[in-house]
Amino acid sequence: MLTIDSLAHSLDNYLEPELIQQVKKAYLFAEEAHTGQTRQSGEPYISHPLAVASILADMHMDHQCLMAALLHDVIEDTGVPKHIISKEFDSQVADLVDGVSKLNTMLFESRAEAQAENFQKMTLAMAKDIRVILVKLADRMHNMRTLDALDGEQRRRIARETLEIYAPIANRLGMNNVRVELEELGFRALYPLRSSMIEKAVNRARGNRKEVVGKIQESIAQCLKRYGIEAEVFGRQKHLYSIYDKMRSKRKSFYEIMDVYAFRIIVDKVDTCYRTLGAMHNLYKPVAGRFKDYIAIPKANGYQSLHTTLFGMHGLPIEIQIRTPEMETIANNGFAGHWLYKSTEESPNHIRAREWMKGLLEIQQSTGSSLEFIENVKIDLFPDEVYVFTPLGDIYDLAQGSTPIDFAYAVHTDIGNTCVACRINRHLAPLSATLDSGVTVEIITAPGAQPSPAWLNFAITGKARSSIRHALKHQQLNESIALGGRLLNRTLATYNTSLEDLPEETIQRVLKDRKAQNMDELLSEIGLGNQMAYVITRHLLTLETDHQEDQHGPLAIMGTEGLVVTCARCCKPIPGDPIIGHISAGRGIVIHTDTCRNMQDLRDKPDEVMTVRWDPAVNHEFSVELRLELEYEKGIIAILASTITNEDANIEHIGMIEKDARLGIVNVVIAVRDRVHLAQVIKRLRLLKSINRILRTRN
Ligand code: MN
């Protein structure tokens, strides 16, 4: 049975004694934390992290990686917080444990198969330190080895996840041994019937093949001897899952796959590899186009070898791989093999691993081969993307720093344009929140909703920004045309006419004089306040009469006209306040209270001021600002807030402006329907003992 002592003993040959002590300390901590917990098999829980650490010890991983393996379930299963691990050990170990726990919380179940690749990417993206992945792979390996203890449903889910996510990740990292074991265990657990059928067929075929394999192996060995090359020659077994996968993906029959004879030749050095290749091509005729030199041009995951296919006796195809022992180790252990080889040098292993990956990036740049692995490793080295889910489990990749607005536009422009709110992991969240990898984002839309200019402050993706700008421009144009039409028809009505009644020539002449392409353009200019409605009216009617106040009454304001009619921020008018409109160039009509100080100077500029009134049907909330002078007491802000909300008014902002020991001044911005509503709120506030004075702030 595996114990901490046997693990420590196996570390003797590559770790310093004081580092082994730290590993032991991590073991004791984990053992204590998991006290009383058992695995589904009934064994004490600590046997699992110990086994995971031992798998990593076989790969000669560093002491931090082993400590993280021992502690990997402590945060999740025993509730020990990260900062305790950081204090007890070090922050790197704590980061590793935390990273593994985060990976675990991503739920893989019920996700569509087509998404598997994105999960692989996401898994890599979420791990800032590649050792997190190595611990996770070892964890999964041990779970797969002990899968029998679980019930059918759980077993299938874990097996599927292993085949779809973890085995391919091991493959990307070049960890062939890990990949093969995960695939074989996953295949048996997920498809017990298919795997046992293939296994039986392989055993039957192997009996028939034995003699042929022996003959070929013998002739290869004889040939190498003649050339004076010392080598080890192995017949390669095909694994069940890879046979199944080939049958399925390449639509080959079982016998087509089994009829290939595969051998591996291990020789001392690179030079000998090429000499061996020459010898083999002399022994049997090579198949044209099948020779690959992965020694001169390694695969992106670091794999090196020579591959060739020969026509053997009776035309049987023979696949040959030729490599050195070091290449063999890298081929089997990939990423981890690198540790295995260089763990005696001074610099820490994970730093060297990063250099190794950077080296791979250079290989990729120089050869121009764009293998996916590189893309994924790049994400790990330079994380610049986040991966988020739709509620249905589709994955979108977005630039780092993206917000729900970016996500909404990534899904569809219409979703972005009509977005009003969002949920992140089922909780309502601001549209400006920064998204993290792995979260689920749900966008809430409303028919007729429109983008807000404020979104440009936090949308970062090009698609979202250009769509918002486009929509705003369009929105402002439509609104200004509509407002311009209302303004112009209103003044025309005072002369008992309307745009429809005017002859086309007159309109065309005025458009030409005013340098407008068409009527919409002129109306938009009026709506934006760049042209005066009554000036255009006189022009249209070729009247010289003075502007006179219309009998049809002032323009009715709803407060929901959009970008071209806005309430002034200085005096914050609300329905019930007497108001006037200020036609402000480029901004449309700005509504002020008629006592607003900013309007005093404009009184005698009739071009810029127009009479307006509240539409009786107005049904909308308006902001208003109150200044409360009060005797300060503890909890006063909470009391104010509940008093205001009890009157059904929304608080938009509340803040203490001044405060000494006794007196305080509080500023509140609330949303109310009209003056009656405001009066109710004020009345209720006056009942509070501590309030001395209430002022509605204007300017
Ligand atoms: Mn575990």
Side-chain angles (χ1 to χ4, degrees):
M1 203 187 83
L2 187 62
T3 62
I4 180 62
D5 289 330
S6 61
L7 174 69
H9 186 70
S10 73
L11 302 179
D12 264 354
N13 61 2
Y14 80 101
L15 281 186
E16 296 299 319
E18 75 259 25
L19 298 183
I20 298 177
Q21 274 314 310
Q22 290 189 47
V23 174
K24 279 187 174 167
K25 189 182 159 203
Y27 171 82
L28 292 175
F29 186 92
E31 189 185 38
E32 166 106 32
H34 287 295
T35 302
Q37 296 178 343
T38 51
R39 304 199 83 210
Q40 230 121 342
S41 61
E43 287 170 283
Y45 195 86
I46 189 68
S47 65
H48 165 62
L50 189 59
V52 175
S54 143
I55 290 170
L56 292 165
D58 289 342
M59 303 175 184
H60 287 198
M61 291 298 153
D62 62 5
H63 69 291
Q64 288 175 328
C65 197
L66 299 174
M67 290 163 76
L70 289 165
L71 298 164
H72 82 268
D73 280 328
V74 157
I75 290 183
E76 242 189 316
D77 294 351
T78 75
V80 171
K82 182 184 171 188
H83 69 90
I84 297 286
I85 296 180
S86 186
K87 212 175 86 192
E88 200 72 26
F89 303 98
D90 64 60
S91 63
Q92 285 196 53
V93 172
D95 282 342
L96 291 175
V97 176
D98 191 46
V100 176
S101 304
K102 285 206 175 108
L103 275 186
N104 291 343
T105 52
M106 293 196 320
L107 291 174
F108 289 132
E109 67 229 82
S110 81
R111 307 293 194 191
E113 200 166 331
Q115 302 273 313
E117 188 166 330
N118 281 322
F119 274 109
Q120 297 161 24
K121 277 193 189 176
M122 188 162 63
T123 307
L124 291 171
M126 286 178 73
K128 302 256 183 318
D129 186 325
I130 195 74
R131 289 177 297 176
V132 169
I133 304 280
L134 298 180
V135 174
K136 187 62 208 171
L137 286 174
D139 175 40
R140 180 48 60 114
M141 195 126 108
H142 184 244
N143 285 335
M144 289 303 292
R145 285 176 186 171
T146 53
L147 202 57
D148 289 341
L150 302 184
D151 68 48
E153 189 49 46
Q154 256 179 315
R155 196 160 61 213
R156 273 191 297 279
R157 180 178 68 76
I158 292 177
R160 169 168 291 123
E161 201 177 275
T162 300
L163 287 178
E164 287 180 358
I165 316 286
Y166 292 104
I169 285 176
N171 190 34
R172 281 167 192 224
L173 296 175
M175 303 170 74
N176 206 41
N177 286 349
V178 174
R179 174 185 66 89
V180 168
E181 183 170 351
L182 290 177
E183 280 179 354
E184 294 300 288
L185 292 170
F187 183 44
R188 277 174 221 271
L190 191 61
Y191 302 111
L193 270 177
R194 293 177 215 188
S195 65
S196 77
M197 272 171 56
I198 293 179
E199 187 172 23
K200 275 184 204 132
V202 167
N203 286 340
R204 244 179 285 127
R206 201 161 281 157
N208 304 334
R209 285 160 46 102
K210 219 171 180 177
E211 203 186 332
V212 183
V213 170
K215 273 188 187 161
I216 300 174
Q217 195 162 341
E218 182 55 32
S219 73
I220 292 175
Q222 287 295 329
C223 167
L224 291 173
K225 212 170 177 186
R226 282 200 302 279
Y227 279 80
I229 295 170
E230 268 194 56
E232 284 182 88
V233 183
F234 306 95
R236 284 191 295 127
Q237 304 276 1
K238 286 220 157 61
H239 300 281
L240 301 186
Y241 184 73
S242 76
I243 294 171
Y244 171 71
D245 194 46
K246 273 209 181 86
M247 287 170 69
R248 203 180 45 167
S249 63
K250 300 200 170 149
R251 305 201 168 277
K252 282 194 173 175
S253 76
F254 177 76
Y255 293 99
E256 279 175 279
I257 294 165
M258 287 305 286
D259 275 351
V260 178
Y261 291 81
F263 294 87
R264 182 171 304 147
I265 304 174
I266 310 284
V267 294
D268 59 349
K269 52 184 200 281
V270 170
D271 184 55
T272 320
C273 290
Y274 289 103
R275 284 206 296 136
T276 305
L277 179 78
M280 288 300 105
H281 283 183
N282 218 350
L283 176 62
Y284 295 118
K285 200 164 130 57
V287 178
R290 291 295 298 274
F291 166 63
K292 297 227 168 58
D293 186 349
Y294 292 120
I295 292 180
I297 303 168
K299 282 192 186 183
N301 62 11
Y303 176 89
Q304 287 189 301
S305 189
L306 296 177
H307 288 189
T308 189
T309 305
L310 311 168
F311 290 114
M313 346 155 195
H314 319 297
L316 284 177
I318 302 171
E319 285 175 5
I320 307 261
Q321 298 175 342
I322 305 165
R323 56 178 75 148
T324 66
E326 176 169 6
M327 293 174 196
E328 170 80 349
T329 307
I330 300 285
N332 289 333
N333 301 293
F335 192 78
H338 201 74
W339 252 280
L340 215 51
Y341 250 80
K342 306 264 175 82
S343 56
T344 49
E345 287 173 23
E346 293 144 19
S347 67
N349 284 319
H350 62 277
I351 293 176
R352 218 171 20 243
R354 294 206 155 217
E355 282 165 3
W356 174 69
M357 289 209 280
K358 273 193 202 137
L360 293 183
L361 288 173
E362 278 155 23
I363 293 172
Q364 188 233 1
Q365 275 149 14
S366 63
T367 62
S369 74
S370 63
L371 282 150
E372 280 175 327
F373 170 79
I374 287 298
E375 275 311 303
N376 296 323
V377 170
K378 223 161 59 182
I379 290 168
D380 178 57
L381 280 175
F382 318 109
D384 52 3
E385 275 180 325
V386 292
Y387 294 85
V388 299
F389 295 107
T390 68
L392 293 176
D394 292 332
I395 298 180
Y396 283 83
D397 54 335
L398 300 167
Q400 185 83 254
S402 286
T403 62
I405 291 290
D406 294 298
F407 172 79
Y409 278 102
V411 175
H412 198 279
T413 310
D414 290 343
I415 306 257
N417 282 338
T418 56
C419 157
V420 289
C422 75
R423 290 196 184 92
I424 296 178
N425 287 342
R426 299 212 201 98
H427 296 291
L428 279 173
L431 289 173
S432 59
T434 306
L435 298 175
D436 291 325
S437 270
V439 299
T440 300
V441 187
E442 182 190 348
I443 296 295
I444 302 166
T445 59
Q450 289 179 321
S452 153
W455 293 357
L456 288 172
N457 296 331
F458 49 78
I460 66 157
T461 53
K463 176 160 192 220
R465 296 185 67 81
S466 66
S467 304
I468 294 168
R469 281 208 193 89
H470 181 80
L472 286 175
K473 224 172 160 184
H474 191 70
Q475 186 186 340
Q476 195 187 32
L477 182 69
N478 283 343
E479 287 170 1
S480 60
I481 291 170
L483 179 68
R486 281 174 73 196
L487 291 169
L488 186 60
N489 270 319
R490 194 169 121 279
T491 46
L492 283 169
T494 60
Y495 300 97
N496 295 316
T497 182
S498 73
L499 266 181
E500 283 90 67
D501 298 335
L502 295 171
E504 186 60 27
E505 310 91 72
T506 313
I507 291 179
Q508 288 307 327
R509 181 173 41 77
V510 171
L511 287 179
K512 205 174 153 215
D513 290 352
R514 297 280 159 184
K515 296 188 171 61
Q517 298 288 325
N518 51 40
M519 201 60 204
D520 277 354
E521 191 179 322
L522 183 62
L523 293 178
S524 154
E525 287 291 284
I526 297 171
L528 288 171
N530 296 332
Q531 298 274 1
M532 295 298 107
Y534 85 93
V535 175
I536 302 295
T537 299
R538 290 199 308 181
H539 196 162
L540 282 165
L541 302 177
T542 45
L543 292 173
E544 292 300 323
T545 44
D546 281 343
H547 171 62
Q548 35 176 273
E549 196 58 61
D550 60 80
Q551 299 111 27
H552 286 253
L555 184 73
I557 298 297
M558 287 292 289
T560 49
E561 285 85 351
L563 299 174
V564 290
V565 177
T566 47
C567 287
R569 267 184 237 169
C570 48
C571 54
K572 294 197 171 65
I574 60 174
D577 290 335
I579 47 172
I580 45 178
H582 174 220
I583 300 172
S584 146
R587 290 175 56 202
I589 302 175
V590 182
I591 308 298
H592 292 259
T593 62
D594 73 347
T595 53
C596 178
R597 247 181 279 151
N598 289 344
M599 290 302 286
Q600 302 305 327
D601 310 338
L602 298 166
R603 281 284 161 189
D604 23 278
K605 288 190 186 164
D607 288 10
E608 292 188 22
V609 176
M610 65 182 295
T611 53
V612 290
R613 65 182 168 87
W614 293 105
D615 191 308
V618 57
N619 175 23
H620 184 64
E621 290 196 329
F622 295 82
S623 300
V624 66
E625 195 171 329
L626 298 178
R627 179 186 158 102
L628 313 175
E629 295 173 16
L630 41 80
E631 276 161 48
Y632 186 77
E633 60 175 283
K634 217 174 163 190
I636 184 69
I637 297 285
I639 295 169
L640 288 176
S642 69
T643 309
I644 293 167
T645 48
N646 282 343
E647 285 307 311
D648 196 27
N650 277 319
I651 298 173
E652 286 173 356
H653 171 85
I654 189 161
M656 186 75 81
I657 306 178
E658 271 176 57
K659 176 181 167 269
D660 57 30
R662 217 167 51 79
L663 294 173
I665 297 176
V666 175
N667 194 38
V668 204
V669 178
I670 59 176
V672 293
R673 290 183 295 277
D674 50 25
R675 272 174 81 111
V676 178
H677 188 192
L678 177 62
Q680 272 172 30
V681 176
I682 291 177
K683 201 168 124 197
R684 198 47 62 102
L685 286 171
R686 283 198 205 287
L687 294 177
L688 296 176
K689 240 187 13 257
S690 53
I691 293 198
N692 295 338
R693 220 154 93 91
I694 303 177
L695 267 178
R696 177 169 167 200
T697 324
R698 303 164 196 242
N699 297 12

Short mmCIF file of all heavy atoms in Angstrom, two decimals, residues 23 73 87 114-115 141 291 366 389 404 434 467 469 476 606 642 684 694:
data_model
loop_
_atom_site.label_atom_id
_atom_site.label_comp_id
_atom_site.label_asym_id
_atom_site.label_seq_id
_atom_site.Cartn_x
_atom_site.Cartn_y
_atom_site.Cartn_z
N VAL A 23 7.04 18.49 1.66
CA VAL A 23 6.02 17.61 1.09
C VAL A 23 5.33 16.83 2.20
O VAL A 23 4.10 16.71 2.24
CB VAL A 23 6.64 16.65 0.04
CG1 VAL A 23 5.62 15.65 -0.46
CG2 VAL A 23 7.20 17.46 -1.14
N ASP A 73 -7.67 18.82 -2.76
CA ASP A 73 -9.11 18.82 -2.46
C ASP A 73 -9.44 19.53 -1.15
O ASP A 73 -10.59 19.51 -0.70
CB ASP A 73 -9.64 17.38 -2.41
CG ASP A 73 -9.89 16.82 -3.81
OD1 ASP A 73 -10.26 17.63 -4.69
OD2 ASP A 73 -9.71 15.62 -4.02
N LYS A 87 -0.51 30.86 4.14
CA LYS A 87 0.23 31.16 5.37
C LYS A 87 1.02 29.93 5.83
O LYS A 87 2.18 30.01 6.20
CB LYS A 87 -0.76 31.59 6.47
CG LYS A 87 -0.18 32.61 7.43
CD LYS A 87 -1.22 33.09 8.43
CE LYS A 87 -1.28 32.17 9.62
NZ LYS A 87 -2.44 32.42 10.48
N ALA A 114 -19.82 19.22 -29.34
CA ALA A 114 -19.11 20.15 -30.20
C ALA A 114 -18.34 21.19 -29.41
O ALA A 114 -17.47 21.87 -29.92
CB ALA A 114 -20.10 20.85 -31.13
N GLN A 115 -18.67 21.33 -28.15
CA GLN A 115 -18.04 22.35 -27.33
C GLN A 115 -16.73 21.86 -26.71
O GLN A 115 -16.01 22.63 -26.11
CB GLN A 115 -18.98 22.74 -26.19
CG GLN A 115 -20.31 23.24 -26.66
CD GLN A 115 -20.26 24.71 -26.93
OE1 GLN A 115 -19.76 25.46 -26.12
NE2 GLN A 115 -20.73 25.11 -28.07
N MET A 141 -6.43 10.99 -13.51
CA MET A 141 -5.90 9.65 -13.76
C MET A 141 -6.26 8.74 -12.59
O MET A 141 -6.71 7.60 -12.79
CB MET A 141 -4.39 9.75 -13.90
CG MET A 141 -3.79 8.54 -14.49
SD MET A 141 -2.81 9.03 -15.88
CE MET A 141 -1.20 8.77 -15.20
N PHE A 291 7.44 9.40 -45.75
CA PHE A 291 8.54 9.68 -44.86
C PHE A 291 8.38 11.07 -44.22
O PHE A 291 8.08 12.05 -44.89
CB PHE A 291 9.87 9.61 -45.63
CG PHE A 291 11.01 10.20 -44.87
CD1 PHE A 291 11.41 9.65 -43.65
CD2 PHE A 291 11.66 11.33 -45.34
CE1 PHE A 291 12.46 10.22 -42.94
CE2 PHE A 291 12.70 11.90 -44.62
CZ PHE A 291 13.10 11.34 -43.43
N SER A 366 8.93 30.30 -36.92
CA SER A 366 9.89 30.11 -37.99
C SER A 366 9.38 29.13 -39.04
O SER A 366 9.67 29.29 -40.22
CB SER A 366 11.23 29.65 -37.42
OG SER A 366 11.06 28.41 -36.79
N PHE A 389 -20.14 31.38 -21.09
CA PHE A 389 -21.24 30.55 -21.59
C PHE A 389 -22.51 31.35 -21.81
O PHE A 389 -22.80 32.28 -21.06
CB PHE A 389 -21.60 29.48 -20.57
CG PHE A 389 -20.53 28.49 -20.32
CD1 PHE A 389 -19.82 28.52 -19.15
CD2 PHE A 389 -20.23 27.55 -21.28
CE1 PHE A 389 -18.81 27.60 -18.91
CE2 PHE A 389 -19.23 26.63 -21.05
CZ PHE A 389 -18.52 26.66 -19.87
N PRO A 404 -20.79 42.41 -20.16
CA PRO A 404 -22.00 41.79 -20.73
C PRO A 404 -22.45 42.46 -22.03
O PRO A 404 -23.01 41.78 -22.89
CB PRO A 404 -23.04 41.99 -19.62
CG PRO A 404 -22.23 41.98 -18.37
CD PRO A 404 -20.94 42.68 -18.72
N THR A 434 -17.02 43.30 -15.41
CA THR A 434 -16.00 42.63 -16.21
C THR A 434 -16.22 41.12 -16.11
O THR A 434 -16.41 40.59 -15.01
CB THR A 434 -14.60 42.99 -15.68
OG1 THR A 434 -14.50 44.40 -15.66
CG2 THR A 434 -13.52 42.44 -16.58
N SER A 467 -21.26 48.83 -33.32
CA SER A 467 -22.71 48.64 -33.38
C SER A 467 -23.43 49.69 -32.53
O SER A 467 -24.47 50.20 -32.92
CB SER A 467 -23.11 47.25 -32.86
OG SER A 467 -22.44 46.26 -33.58
N ARG A 469 -22.35 52.74 -31.74
CA ARG A 469 -22.26 54.04 -32.42
C ARG A 469 -23.25 54.13 -33.57
O ARG A 469 -23.94 55.13 -33.74
CB ARG A 469 -20.84 54.25 -32.97
CG ARG A 469 -19.88 54.67 -31.91
CD ARG A 469 -18.75 55.51 -32.49
NE ARG A 469 -17.70 55.61 -31.51
CZ ARG A 469 -16.71 54.73 -31.40
NH1 ARG A 469 -16.62 53.73 -32.27
NH2 ARG A 469 -15.82 54.84 -30.46
N GLN A 476 -30.68 58.88 -33.10
CA GLN A 476 -30.75 60.33 -33.00
C GLN A 476 -31.35 60.92 -34.27
O GLN A 476 -32.16 61.84 -34.22
CB GLN A 476 -29.36 60.91 -32.76
CG GLN A 476 -29.45 62.35 -32.30
CD GLN A 476 -28.09 63.01 -32.21
OE1 GLN A 476 -27.20 62.68 -32.98
NE2 GLN A 476 -27.95 63.93 -31.28
N PRO A 606 -35.93 84.94 -28.58
CA PRO A 606 -37.06 84.07 -28.93
C PRO A 606 -36.65 82.94 -29.88
O PRO A 606 -37.29 81.89 -29.89
CB PRO A 606 -38.05 85.02 -29.61
CG PRO A 606 -37.26 86.21 -30.01
CD PRO A 606 -36.11 86.32 -29.06
N SER A 642 -35.15 54.24 3.84
CA SER A 642 -36.38 53.46 3.93
C SER A 642 -37.61 54.37 3.88
O SER A 642 -38.63 54.01 3.31
CB SER A 642 -36.37 52.57 5.18
OG SER A 642 -36.46 53.38 6.32
N ARG A 684 -43.42 63.19 4.16
CA ARG A 684 -43.03 62.08 5.02
C ARG A 684 -41.67 62.32 5.67
O ARG A 684 -41.46 62.01 6.83
CB ARG A 684 -43.01 60.80 4.16
CG ARG A 684 -43.04 59.51 4.93
CD ARG A 684 -44.10 59.49 6.01
NE ARG A 684 -45.45 59.63 5.49
CZ ARG A 684 -46.30 58.62 5.35
NH1 ARG A 684 -45.94 57.42 5.68
NH2 ARG A 684 -47.51 58.83 4.89
N ILE A 694 -35.61 70.92 4.47
CA ILE A 694 -35.56 70.18 3.20
C ILE A 694 -35.62 71.19 2.07
O ILE A 694 -36.49 72.06 2.06
CB ILE A 694 -36.73 69.19 3.06
CG1 ILE A 694 -36.74 68.21 4.24
CG2 ILE A 694 -36.64 68.44 1.74
CD1 ILE A 694 -37.89 67.24 4.23
#
